[in-house]
Amino acid sequence: MAIRLQDYEQIVGREEIAELSAFADRVRNKRLQNINSTAVGGGVAEILTRLVPLLGELGIEATWDVIKGDQAFFNITKTFHNALHGHPEEITREMLDHFQANTEANLKSLDLNGDVIVVHDPQPAGLIRKKKEIGRRWIWRCHIDVSSPNPEVWNFLRPMVDQYDASVFSMPDFARDLAVPQYMVPPSIDPLSDKNKPLSQSTVQEVLDKYELDSTRPILTQISRFDRLKDPLGVIAAYRLVKMNYDCQLLLAGGGAPDDPEGEVVLREVQEAAAGDPDIHVCLLPPFSDLEINALVRGSTVVMQKSIKEGFGLTVSEALWKKKPVVGGRVGGIKLQILNGVTGFLVHSPEGAARRTMQLLANPGLCRTMGENGHQHVKQNFLLTRHLKDYLFLMLSLDHPDEDIVQFYEN
Amino acid sequence: MPHSEPFVFNTERRLVVLTGQKARNLPELLAILKRISESSIFYHSHEEYFLSRQFARHEFYNDFSLWISEALQEEPLAEKLAAIDLLSFSSIRQIRERMVAEIAAFLESTGGRARECPAGDEFHFCRAKSFVVPTGIVARDLPDFLNRLPSVSDTSLYFHFFEARLRLGRITNDFSFWLSGIGQEALADEIDRLNPYAMTLDELRRRIIQLGLKRLGD
């Protein structure tokens, strides 16, 4: 059965839902069109899957379109992605031309019918060239860290970004000195999705059994795509240090995504590094494994997200929501989610990750307190209902671009 | 003449606006502090206080002090900025002038030596775009006001106490302003003298109720 807006009342309270509806009243006559590059896999697709129907329930005609591209296009955008994260990459004229040609092809097939068009990430950013012809309000929603990008790719992208009416970043660190207004909208998790909803202990146990994990010994878990920026080899290094003192297990689990062709190469590297240790479980999960991911996190003792670079790292909020302390890299959005020493620990190295993990394994009480704090922190800041409201505020902001305080009150 | 207007409790929701301005050291912070919008100064001098209501997180309650302490490790200056009594200022312009003066004096005392923060720990200037809406809670008179205060959210309390005075430039907090208007000048004055920066929002709420009940009992 489809999840309804009302179902969130039990989690965030009736007032919060009433408030959403009150703000939605002020933008109800506008169509909101989202455009991204993948319908499944990755945080953006997950968020849109949830947000679009709920916006609809609030009376806003929200739609979601996905641009098309061949394998070469997605290889190029993956290279762009790494380059925007500051990774050295070779960018050729041919790549830029292919990107532009792909944009042209999508402009021919896409029906750009929104009053407000939200374009997610760099892949579809070039669609903005249609603005001159059709007008409308355009928002570039950047989910990735572009704070120290490869200049070649950024110089290519920047003239596109400057044509939007507003840009949106997940956190202050990602912002650039742009000509257009920049807003912060952190992403969110859905507490009622298969990945986050409450599960019975028996369901958790069944999944642990299926993956041959022993619930009587500590389980350290990192859920992420097999991507070098998530540092899976660093996690294995940290685990090896912890293993010297604690008889623990390591689970590295994640899915693939159609726009991430590099994943297979990294997976092989991880499998090679883990070879010979039966307590390291490397699992490439098929699509639609959300319920299992939920159970695996719930069955874990400590969750890790030892990224070297990160867009936001929503896996952190997913674990905190399940009351798990998280040891994460002090990068990107992880810094907003892990309040150091309150909801988990921020670290810089495998050695730091190992030390903090051992501190947690030695103190079950600390694990519980941090877990509770993490749950509250996510409830206040990173749930889908807050995200919904931010979308309404973004639409309102386009109507009130120059006001710091938009007053809808009577005093 | 006292009026009989009810008090309408409003609340504030916000979208954070990113300015794209960032500082890596004190000279950069100082230069941006001199030219950044008042809205950004209000945001950074109050946001941490507001966010920290949930967890006892930090020793310092303004973003500038926190950053100077954690990223630059210049504790003496962090302490000085944290000790600035925001209540003693009636405008953000004055807060800016005081902070600029403190940082400039510190830089002078160090002979211009300035530490750089580690990469990734820069200070990012933000501000808030606020959307202010009625909560639906209305108080007709003082007893009604005191009855309703416990059910008013922290955000609403914060809006009427902090935002109204500094950001909206009103002469006092909204409660005191309204109470003066209904003939409760003495109570209005007592509430105006509370130091909200020295207590949590919950304590502030309790304190206002105590003062009000005492006044009703007199």
Side-chain angles (χ1 to χ4, degrees), chain A residues 19 23 172-173 176 182-184 330 335 373 376 380 389 393 397 400-401 403-406 408-411, chain B residues 8 10 13 15-18 20 39 53-55 57 120-121 124 127 129-134 167-168 170:
Chain A
E19 194 176 286
F23 280 116
D173 307 42
R176 314 259 328 150
Q182 304 176 69
Y183 297 105
M184 176 167 90
R330 193 185 156 86
K335 289 187 287 184
N373 288 346
Q376 286 306 323
Q380 293 280 341
K389 208 185 292 176
F393 290 163
S397 295
H400 302 271
E403 294 161 61
D404 263 355
I405 302 177
V406 184
F408 299 120
Y409 66 106
E410 296 154 28
N411 264 3
Chain B
V8 179
N10 293 310
R13 293 289 178 259
L15 196 56
V16 175
V17 185
L18 307 170
S39 183
R53 70 195 186 278
Q54 200 175 353
F55 309 110
R57 284 175 59 191
D121 262 345
H124 297 270
R127 61 188 169 86
K129 192 177 191 76
S130 300
F131 301 91
V132 180
V133 287
R167 209 167 157 212
L168 296 175
R170 294 178 185 159

Tab-separated table of all heavy atoms in Angstrom, chain A residues 19 23 172-173 176 182-184 330 335 373 376 380 389 393 397 400-401 403-406 408-411, chain B residues 8 10 13 15-18 20 39 53-55 57 120-121 124 127 129-134 167-168 170:
chain	number	residue	atom	x	y	z
A	19	GLU	N	1.370	22.099	9.282
A	19	GLU	CA	2.190	23.221	8.845
A	19	GLU	C	2.601	23.069	7.370
A	19	GLU	O	2.603	24.031	6.605
A	19	GLU	CB	3.427	23.298	9.732
A	19	GLU	CG	4.156	24.599	9.590
A	19	GLU	CD	5.322	24.684	10.538
A	19	GLU	OE1	5.107	24.874	11.743
A	19	GLU	OE2	6.472	24.550	10.081
A	23	PHE	N	1.822	25.778	4.340
A	23	PHE	CA	2.785	26.387	3.418
A	23	PHE	C	2.473	26.002	1.974
A	23	PHE	O	2.645	26.798	1.055
A	23	PHE	CB	4.219	25.992	3.790
A	23	PHE	CG	4.786	26.803	4.931
A	23	PHE	CD1	5.124	26.217	6.135
A	23	PHE	CD2	4.989	28.174	4.779
A	23	PHE	CE1	5.644	26.972	7.189
A	23	PHE	CE2	5.510	28.937	5.821
A	23	PHE	CZ	5.834	28.335	7.027
A	172	PRO	N	26.906	24.249	3.481
A	172	PRO	CA	27.646	25.467	3.149
A	172	PRO	C	28.969	25.198	2.445
A	172	PRO	O	29.348	25.927	1.538
A	172	PRO	CB	27.890	26.127	4.513
A	172	PRO	CG	26.813	25.607	5.386
A	172	PRO	CD	26.528	24.216	4.907
A	173	ASP	N	29.657	24.143	2.849
A	173	ASP	CA	30.973	23.856	2.276
A	173	ASP	C	30.920	23.640	0.764
A	173	ASP	O	31.920	23.766	0.087
A	173	ASP	CB	31.575	22.584	2.902
A	173	ASP	CG	31.600	22.632	4.401
A	173	ASP	OD1	30.604	23.086	4.992
A	173	ASP	OD2	32.600	22.209	4.997
A	176	ARG	N	29.598	27.814	-3.920
A	176	ARG	CA	30.616	28.554	-4.648
A	176	ARG	C	30.187	30.014	-4.646
A	176	ARG	O	29.048	30.330	-4.326
A	176	ARG	CB	30.702	28.070	-6.103
A	176	ARG	CG	30.719	26.594	-6.272
A	176	ARG	CD	32.071	26.014	-6.530
A	176	ARG	NE	32.981	26.850	-7.271
A	176	ARG	CZ	34.296	26.797	-7.106
A	176	ARG	NH1	34.804	26.001	-6.203
A	176	ARG	NH2	35.096	27.541	-7.834
A	182	GLN	N	22.021	31.186	-3.627
A	182	GLN	CA	22.320	29.789	-3.277
A	182	GLN	C	21.619	29.444	-1.976
A	182	GLN	O	21.764	30.164	-0.992
A	182	GLN	CB	23.823	29.613	-3.073
A	182	GLN	CG	24.650	30.026	-4.265
A	182	GLN	CD	26.136	29.921	-3.961
A	182	GLN	OE1	26.657	28.834	-3.811
A	182	GLN	NE2	26.806	31.048	-3.850
A	183	TYR	N	20.909	28.355	-1.967
A	183	TYR	CA	20.208	27.923	-0.763
A	183	TYR	C	20.774	26.598	-0.286
A	183	TYR	O	21.314	25.822	-1.071
A	183	TYR	CB	18.714	27.762	-1.043
A	183	TYR	CG	18.051	29.066	-1.435
A	183	TYR	CD1	17.701	29.324	-2.756
A	183	TYR	CD2	17.798	30.045	-0.483
A	183	TYR	CE1	17.111	30.524	-3.116
A	183	TYR	CE2	17.208	31.248	-0.836
A	183	TYR	CZ	16.868	31.479	-2.156
A	183	TYR	OH	16.294	32.673	-2.501
A	184	MET	N	20.611	26.348	1.010
A	184	MET	CA	21.046	25.060	1.543
A	184	MET	C	19.830	24.182	1.817
A	184	MET	O	18.932	24.588	2.561
A	184	MET	CB	21.824	25.234	2.845
A	184	MET	CG	22.193	23.890	3.447
A	184	MET	SD	23.406	23.987	4.775
A	184	MET	CE	22.365	24.179	6.192
A	330	ARG	N	35.670	12.916	8.345
A	330	ARG	CA	35.323	14.319	8.581
A	330	ARG	C	35.268	15.059	7.239
A	330	ARG	O	36.084	15.934	6.942
A	330	ARG	CB	36.375	14.946	9.505
A	330	ARG	CG	35.988	16.277	10.086
A	330	ARG	CD	37.145	16.864	10.879
A	330	ARG	NE	37.024	18.292	10.962
A	330	ARG	CZ	36.317	18.944	11.886
A	330	ARG	NH1	35.672	18.266	12.798
A	330	ARG	NH2	36.252	20.241	11.876
A	335	LYS	N	29.835	15.703	8.277
A	335	LYS	CA	30.083	16.638	9.397
A	335	LYS	C	28.785	17.208	9.976
A	335	LYS	O	28.751	17.618	11.126
A	335	LYS	CB	30.967	17.803	8.919
A	335	LYS	CG	32.399	17.405	8.641
A	335	LYS	CD	33.260	18.625	8.337
A	335	LYS	CE	32.949	19.171	6.971
A	335	LYS	NZ	33.806	20.302	6.574
A	373	ASN	N	20.872	9.883	20.773
A	373	ASN	CA	21.148	11.239	20.297
A	373	ASN	C	21.017	11.308	18.775
A	373	ASN	O	20.453	12.263	18.229
A	373	ASN	CB	22.578	11.669	20.668
A	373	ASN	CG	22.742	11.945	22.151
A	373	ASN	OD1	21.749	12.077	22.873
A	373	ASN	ND2	23.971	12.012	22.614
A	376	GLN	N	17.403	11.379	17.585
A	376	GLN	CA	16.789	12.696	17.796
A	376	GLN	C	17.303	13.717	16.787
A	376	GLN	O	16.546	14.532	16.257
A	376	GLN	CB	17.075	13.213	19.217
A	376	GLN	CG	16.285	12.514	20.303
A	376	GLN	CD	14.779	12.526	20.045
A	376	GLN	OE1	14.231	13.497	19.541
A	376	GLN	NE2	14.110	11.420	20.347
A	380	GLN	N	14.994	15.739	14.005
A	380	GLN	CA	14.905	17.207	13.902
A	380	GLN	C	15.326	17.723	12.532
A	380	GLN	O	14.817	18.734	12.062
A	380	GLN	CB	15.837	17.870	14.935
A	380	GLN	CG	15.462	17.666	16.369
A	380	GLN	CD	14.355	18.615	16.791
A	380	GLN	OE1	14.125	19.620	16.141
A	380	GLN	NE2	13.671	18.280	17.859
A	389	LYS	N	9.235	20.400	3.194
A	389	LYS	CA	9.005	21.800	3.558
A	389	LYS	C	10.025	22.705	2.871
A	389	LYS	O	9.686	23.781	2.388
A	389	LYS	CB	9.090	21.956	5.081
A	389	LYS	CG	8.237	23.100	5.579
A	389	LYS	CD	8.408	23.326	7.043
A	389	LYS	CE	7.854	22.201	7.880
A	389	LYS	NZ	8.122	22.405	9.316
A	393	PHE	N	9.559	25.994	0.565
A	393	PHE	CA	10.257	27.253	0.825
A	393	PHE	C	11.038	27.715	-0.410
A	393	PHE	O	11.134	28.909	-0.679
A	393	PHE	CB	11.212	27.110	2.019
A	393	PHE	CG	10.512	26.955	3.334
A	393	PHE	CD1	11.183	26.464	4.439
A	393	PHE	CD2	9.180	27.313	3.477
A	393	PHE	CE1	10.544	26.324	5.662
A	393	PHE	CE2	8.530	27.168	4.698
A	393	PHE	CZ	9.222	26.667	5.788
A	397	SER	N	10.617	31.123	-2.132
A	397	SER	CA	11.761	32.028	-2.266
A	397	SER	C	11.835	32.623	-3.662
A	397	SER	O	12.251	33.771	-3.829
A	397	SER	CB	13.067	31.288	-1.983
A	397	SER	OG	13.085	30.873	-0.655
A	400	HIS	N	9.803	35.547	-3.609
A	400	HIS	CA	10.254	36.619	-2.704
A	400	HIS	C	11.784	36.664	-2.704
A	400	HIS	O	12.415	36.481	-1.660
A	400	HIS	CB	9.755	36.353	-1.269
A	400	HIS	CG	8.271	36.230	-1.144
A	400	HIS	ND1	7.444	37.299	-0.911
A	400	HIS	CD2	7.465	35.154	-1.245
A	400	HIS	CE1	6.190	36.886	-0.859
A	400	HIS	NE2	6.170	35.594	-1.054
A	401	PRO	N	12.387	36.927	-3.864
A	401	PRO	CA	13.851	36.771	-3.941
A	401	PRO	C	14.631	37.747	-3.064
A	401	PRO	O	15.721	37.416	-2.615
A	401	PRO	CB	14.157	37.005	-5.429
A	401	PRO	CG	12.982	37.759	-5.955
A	401	PRO	CD	11.808	37.358	-5.144
A	403	GLU	N	13.597	39.337	-0.109
A	403	GLU	CA	13.197	39.527	1.295
A	403	GLU	C	13.922	38.531	2.203
A	403	GLU	O	13.922	37.343	1.933
A	403	GLU	CB	11.679	39.307	1.445
A	403	GLU	CG	10.854	40.358	0.730
A	403	GLU	CD	9.423	39.889	0.505
A	403	GLU	OE1	8.717	39.618	1.483
A	403	GLU	OE2	9.029	39.772	-0.661
A	404	ASP	N	14.495	39.058	3.275
A	404	ASP	CA	15.109	38.176	4.272
A	404	ASP	C	14.045	37.548	5.151
A	404	ASP	O	14.191	36.439	5.646
A	404	ASP	CB	16.037	38.987	5.178
A	404	ASP	CG	17.468	38.901	4.713
A	404	ASP	OD1	17.729	38.141	3.764
A	404	ASP	OD2	18.316	39.600	5.284
A	405	ILE	N	13.009	38.334	5.419
A	405	ILE	CA	11.926	37.856	6.271
A	405	ILE	C	10.628	37.952	5.475
A	405	ILE	O	10.198	39.047	5.112
A	405	ILE	CB	11.823	38.675	7.568
A	405	ILE	CG1	13.153	38.604	8.331
A	405	ILE	CG2	10.681	38.164	8.440
A	405	ILE	CD1	13.188	39.428	9.590
A	406	VAL	N	10.049	36.807	5.190
A	406	VAL	CA	8.791	36.793	4.442
A	406	VAL	C	7.680	36.615	5.468
A	406	VAL	O	7.619	35.585	6.145
A	406	VAL	CB	8.786	35.627	3.418
A	406	VAL	CG1	7.525	35.669	2.580
A	406	VAL	CG2	10.019	35.693	2.535
A	408	PHE	N	4.019	36.143	6.797
A	408	PHE	CA	2.652	35.721	6.526
A	408	PHE	C	1.837	35.857	7.814
A	408	PHE	O	0.957	35.084	8.068
A	408	PHE	CB	2.607	34.252	6.085
A	408	PHE	CG	3.377	33.978	4.824
A	408	PHE	CD1	4.424	33.077	4.814
A	408	PHE	CD2	3.038	34.611	3.644
A	408	PHE	CE1	5.117	32.812	3.651
A	408	PHE	CE2	3.744	34.349	2.471
A	408	PHE	CZ	4.781	33.456	2.483
A	409	TYR	N	2.239	36.784	8.670
A	409	TYR	CA	1.619	36.807	9.995
A	409	TYR	C	0.782	38.057	10.222
A	409	TYR	O	0.774	38.976	9.411
A	409	TYR	CB	2.658	36.631	11.096
A	409	TYR	CG	3.665	37.741	11.247
A	409	TYR	CD1	3.571	38.622	12.302
A	409	TYR	CD2	4.713	37.881	10.362
A	409	TYR	CE1	4.508	39.616	12.458
A	409	TYR	CE2	5.656	38.887	10.520
A	409	TYR	CZ	5.542	39.750	11.574
A	409	TYR	OH	6.463	40.736	11.736
A	410	GLU	N	0.097	38.025	11.346
A	410	GLU	CA	-0.919	39.054	11.555
A	410	GLU	C	-0.485	40.182	12.472
A	410	GLU	O	-1.091	41.232	12.472
A	410	GLU	CB	-2.196	38.402	12.133
A	410	GLU	CG	-2.821	37.424	11.152
A	410	GLU	CD	-3.636	36.353	11.854
A	410	GLU	OE1	-4.141	36.643	12.954
A	410	GLU	OE2	-3.758	35.243	11.322
A	411	ASN	N	0.571	39.946	13.302
A	411	ASN	CA	0.944	40.992	14.268
A	411	ASN	C	1.402	42.268	13.582
A	411	ASN	O	2.123	42.202	12.606
A	411	ASN	CB	2.090	40.494	15.163
A	411	ASN	CG	1.549	39.934	16.457
A	411	ASN	OD1	0.340	39.877	16.662
A	411	ASN	ND2	2.438	39.472	17.315
B	8	VAL	N	-0.809	37.376	19.342
B	8	VAL	CA	-0.823	36.283	18.363
B	8	VAL	C	0.573	35.673	18.320
B	8	VAL	O	1.545	36.344	17.977
B	8	VAL	CB	-1.204	36.819	16.966
B	8	VAL	CG1	-1.190	35.693	15.933
B	8	VAL	CG2	-2.566	37.497	17.006
B	10	ASN	N	3.429	33.800	16.751
B	10	ASN	CA	3.899	33.410	15.422
B	10	ASN	C	5.053	32.441	15.565
B	10	ASN	O	5.645	32.311	16.640
B	10	ASN	CB	4.380	34.643	14.661
B	10	ASN	CG	3.239	35.575	14.351
B	10	ASN	OD1	2.212	35.149	13.833
B	10	ASN	ND2	3.397	36.844	14.701
B	13	ARG	N	9.945	29.630	10.183
B	13	ARG	CA	10.633	28.521	9.531
B	13	ARG	C	11.654	29.147	8.606
B	13	ARG	O	11.455	30.259	8.130
B	13	ARG	CB	9.643	27.675	8.728
B	13	ARG	CG	8.663	26.948	9.614
B	13	ARG	CD	9.360	25.833	10.380
B	13	ARG	NE	8.454	25.140	11.268
B	13	ARG	CZ	8.376	25.345	12.578
B	13	ARG	NH1	9.134	26.266	13.147
B	13	ARG	NH2	7.542	24.654	13.313
B	15	LEU	N	14.945	28.916	5.556
B	15	LEU	CA	15.769	28.282	4.538
B	15	LEU	C	17.124	28.972	4.679
B	15	LEU	O	17.182	30.202	4.759
B	15	LEU	CB	15.143	28.588	3.179
B	15	LEU	CG	15.565	27.770	1.969
B	15	LEU	CD1	15.366	26.281	2.197
B	15	LEU	CD2	14.756	28.204	0.746
B	16	VAL	N	18.182	28.187	4.740
B	16	VAL	CA	19.502	28.792	4.902
B	16	VAL	C	20.011	29.258	3.535
B	16	VAL	O	19.973	28.509	2.561
B	16	VAL	CB	20.488	27.802	5.553
B	16	VAL	CG1	21.892	28.389	5.613
B	16	VAL	CG2	20.009	27.426	6.944
B	17	VAL	N	20.445	30.507	3.489
B	17	VAL	CA	20.998	31.070	2.258
B	17	VAL	C	22.520	31.031	2.378
B	17	VAL	O	23.077	31.430	3.401
B	17	VAL	CB	20.544	32.536	2.059
B	17	VAL	CG1	21.033	33.076	0.721
B	17	VAL	CG2	19.027	32.640	2.172
B	18	LEU	N	23.163	30.523	1.338
B	18	LEU	CA	24.625	30.428	1.354
B	18	LEU	C	25.181	31.639	0.607
B	18	LEU	O	24.756	31.922	-0.511
B	18	LEU	CB	25.067	29.133	0.666
B	18	LEU	CG	24.397	27.863	1.214
B	18	LEU	CD1	24.704	26.675	0.334
B	18	LEU	CD2	24.848	27.603	2.640
B	20	GLY	N	28.389	32.042	-0.196
B	20	GLY	CA	29.560	31.704	-0.999
B	20	GLY	C	30.840	32.360	-0.476
B	20	GLY	O	31.917	32.140	-1.008
B	39	SER	N	22.028	40.378	8.279
B	39	SER	CA	21.311	39.120	8.400
B	39	SER	C	22.273	37.954	8.673
B	39	SER	O	21.984	37.043	9.452
B	39	SER	CB	20.561	38.910	7.082
B	39	SER	OG	19.808	37.784	7.127
B	53	ARG	N	19.931	23.820	21.609
B	53	ARG	CA	18.939	23.622	22.654
B	53	ARG	C	18.730	22.135	22.948
B	53	ARG	O	18.305	21.751	24.010
B	53	ARG	CB	17.611	24.274	22.263
B	53	ARG	CG	16.895	23.585	21.128
B	53	ARG	CD	15.804	24.462	20.559
B	53	ARG	NE	15.010	23.774	19.557
B	53	ARG	CZ	15.362	23.642	18.300
B	53	ARG	NH1	16.504	24.128	17.885
B	53	ARG	NH2	14.581	23.016	17.449
B	54	GLN	N	19.059	21.294	21.959
B	54	GLN	CA	18.780	19.873	22.118
B	54	GLN	C	19.883	19.118	22.872
B	54	GLN	O	19.624	18.320	23.739
B	54	GLN	CB	18.608	19.270	20.739
B	54	GLN	CG	17.872	17.969	20.778
B	54	GLN	CD	17.620	17.468	19.382
B	54	GLN	OE1	17.875	18.142	18.395
B	54	GLN	NE2	17.124	16.271	19.308
B	55	PHE	N	21.109	19.371	22.479
B	55	PHE	CA	22.224	18.680	23.124
B	55	PHE	C	23.145	19.731	23.721
B	55	PHE	O	23.369	20.762	23.109
B	55	PHE	CB	23.044	17.892	22.105
B	55	PHE	CG	22.228	17.003	21.233
B	55	PHE	CD1	22.060	17.289	19.894
B	55	PHE	CD2	21.607	15.877	21.746
B	55	PHE	CE1	21.299	16.468	19.074
B	55	PHE	CE2	20.844	15.057	20.939
B	55	PHE	CZ	20.686	15.356	19.597
B	57	ARG	N	26.086	20.821	23.547
B	57	ARG	CA	27.140	20.490	22.605
B	57	ARG	C	28.433	21.257	22.805
B	57	ARG	O	29.505	20.726	22.699
B	57	ARG	CB	26.675	20.759	21.177
B	57	ARG	CG	25.743	19.738	20.648
B	57	ARG	CD	25.255	20.157	19.281
B	57	ARG	NE	26.365	20.323	18.350
B	57	ARG	CZ	26.238	20.885	17.176
B	57	ARG	NH1	25.083	21.348	16.783
B	57	ARG	NH2	27.271	20.984	16.367
B	120	GLY	N	39.169	22.383	4.422
B	120	GLY	CA	37.870	21.754	4.684
B	120	GLY	C	37.202	22.284	5.943
B	120	GLY	O	36.063	21.941	6.233
B	121	ASP	N	37.929	23.116	6.715
B	121	ASP	CA	37.365	23.670	7.949
B	121	ASP	C	37.115	25.174	7.838
B	121	ASP	O	37.075	25.885	8.841
B	121	ASP	CB	38.317	23.413	9.129
B	121	ASP	CG	37.874	22.189	9.926
B	121	ASP	OD1	36.720	21.754	9.724
B	121	ASP	OD2	38.675	21.683	10.730
B	124	HIS	N	32.141	29.376	6.639
B	124	HIS	CA	31.256	29.702	5.526
B	124	HIS	C	30.154	30.636	6.019
B	124	HIS	O	29.394	30.276	6.908
B	124	HIS	CB	30.629	28.430	4.949
B	124	HIS	CG	31.644	27.500	4.365
B	124	HIS	ND1	32.044	27.558	3.061
B	124	HIS	CD2	32.368	26.505	4.931
B	124	HIS	CE1	32.964	26.641	2.836
B	124	HIS	NE2	33.184	25.985	3.962
B	127	ARG	N	23.185	33.005	5.842
B	127	ARG	CA	22.150	33.805	6.496
B	127	ARG	C	20.851	33.028	6.353
B	127	ARG	O	20.815	32.009	5.653
B	127	ARG	CB	22.056	35.201	5.893
B	127	ARG	CG	21.710	35.244	4.436
B	127	ARG	CD	21.840	36.671	3.883
B	127	ARG	NE	21.767	36.677	2.441
B	127	ARG	CZ	20.647	36.731	1.745
B	127	ARG	NH1	19.482	36.782	2.375
B	127	ARG	NH2	20.655	36.706	0.433
B	129	LYS	N	16.740	32.873	5.364
B	129	LYS	CA	15.555	33.491	4.781
B	129	LYS	C	14.407	32.924	5.604
B	129	LYS	O	14.199	31.707	5.633
B	129	LYS	CB	15.431	33.072	3.314
B	129	LYS	CG	14.408	33.866	2.537
B	129	LYS	CD	14.424	33.434	1.084
B	129	LYS	CE	13.629	34.367	0.215
B	129	LYS	NZ	14.327	35.631	-0.063
B	130	SER	N	13.704	33.805	6.290
B	130	SER	CA	12.702	33.317	7.252
B	130	SER	C	11.290	33.465	6.717
B	130	SER	O	10.970	34.452	6.059
B	130	SER	CB	12.816	34.108	8.556
B	130	SER	OG	14.100	33.926	9.094
B	131	PHE	N	10.491	32.486	7.039
B	131	PHE	CA	9.076	32.527	6.687
B	131	PHE	C	8.304	32.536	8.000
B	131	PHE	O	8.386	31.583	8.775
B	131	PHE	CB	8.701	31.308	5.840
B	131	PHE	CG	9.498	31.236	4.570
B	131	PHE	CD1	10.700	30.541	4.534
B	131	PHE	CD2	9.075	31.894	3.431
B	131	PHE	CE1	11.463	30.502	3.372
B	131	PHE	CE2	9.831	31.862	2.268
B	131	PHE	CZ	11.025	31.160	2.239
B	132	VAL	N	7.613	33.625	8.246
B	132	VAL	CA	6.954	33.805	9.544
B	132	VAL	C	5.451	33.583	9.391
B	132	VAL	O	4.816	34.187	8.529
B	132	VAL	CB	7.235	35.217	10.090
B	132	VAL	CG1	6.565	35.411	11.436
B	132	VAL	CG2	8.736	35.436	10.208
B	133	VAL	N	4.933	32.679	10.215
B	133	VAL	CA	3.502	32.338	10.123
B	133	VAL	C	2.870	32.277	11.514
B	133	VAL	O	3.558	32.000	12.499
B	133	VAL	CB	3.297	30.949	9.468
B	133	VAL	CG1	3.563	31.008	7.986
B	133	VAL	CG2	4.156	29.895	10.127
B	134	PRO	N	1.564	32.543	11.606
B	134	PRO	CA	0.894	32.418	12.908
B	134	PRO	C	0.830	30.947	13.335
B	134	PRO	O	0.713	30.070	12.481
B	134	PRO	CB	-0.528	32.938	12.650
B	134	PRO	CG	-0.558	33.434	11.258
B	134	PRO	CD	0.640	32.953	10.536
B	167	ARG	N	16.500	41.374	14.883
B	167	ARG	CA	16.398	41.252	13.428
B	167	ARG	C	15.290	42.134	12.869
B	167	ARG	O	15.397	42.660	11.777
B	167	ARG	CB	16.148	39.783	13.072
B	167	ARG	CG	16.708	39.443	11.731
B	167	ARG	CD	16.742	37.958	11.523
B	167	ARG	NE	16.746	37.667	10.100
B	167	ARG	CZ	16.192	36.614	9.566
B	167	ARG	NH1	15.587	35.726	10.334
B	167	ARG	NH2	16.238	36.419	8.276
B	168	LEU	N	14.200	42.244	13.617
B	168	LEU	CA	13.118	43.104	13.155
B	168	LEU	C	13.255	44.520	13.718
B	168	LEU	O	12.447	45.388	13.458
B	168	LEU	CB	11.759	42.510	13.542
B	168	LEU	CG	11.429	41.158	12.893
B	168	LEU	CD1	10.119	40.603	13.421
B	168	LEU	CD2	11.352	41.291	11.379
B	170	ARG	N	12.838	45.792	16.710
B	170	ARG	CA	11.865	46.327	17.673
B	170	ARG	C	12.599	46.732	18.948
B	170	ARG	O	13.672	46.217	19.244
B	170	ARG	CB	10.791	45.273	17.963
B	170	ARG	CG	9.965	45.015	16.709
B	170	ARG	CD	8.910	43.954	16.906
B	170	ARG	NE	8.267	43.695	15.617
B	170	ARG	CZ	7.607	42.588	15.322
B	170	ARG	NH1	7.477	41.626	16.200
B	170	ARG	NH2	7.060	42.446	14.135
